[in-house]
Amino acid sequence: MAPPYDIAVIPGDGTGPEVVREGIKVLETVADKCGFGLNFSLHGWRSRSPCTTGIIMPEDGLHIVPKA
């Protein structure tokens, strides 16, 4: 089996968590049927974050998410 794909997931802001959950289910079904793996990393960054944390995403956010 090929190495798994790493996918950063950032739910919210127009695409609610319930939509993202269903999208992940679809991706997992396809991965199972096609014989590849997926690793999801969930991140809670969104446009409302500055109201509570003062930042949209951490300074090193682009280094945290998986690279293509």
Side-chain angles (χ1 to χ4, degrees):
M1 184 185 282
Y5 292 92
D6 296 323
I7 300 175
V9 180
I10 308 172
D13 290 350
T15 305
E18 66 284 354
V19 175
V20 172
R21 274 192 303 271
E22 295 305 311
I24 288 173
K25 287 180 190 177
V26 170
L27 291 173
E28 289 175 332
T29 299
V30 171
D32 287 343
K33 289 184 182 281
C34 295
F36 60 88
L38 298 171
N39 294 321
F40 296 99
S41 59
L42 182 64
H43 305 280
W45 311 325
R46 50 183 54 153
S47 63
R48 293 184 187 157
S49 296
C51 297
T52 56
T53 65
I55 59 171
I56 291 177
M57 70 181 211
E59 235 177 81
D60 62 345
L62 294 179
H63 297 287
I64 295 171
V65 298
K67 300 270 189 286

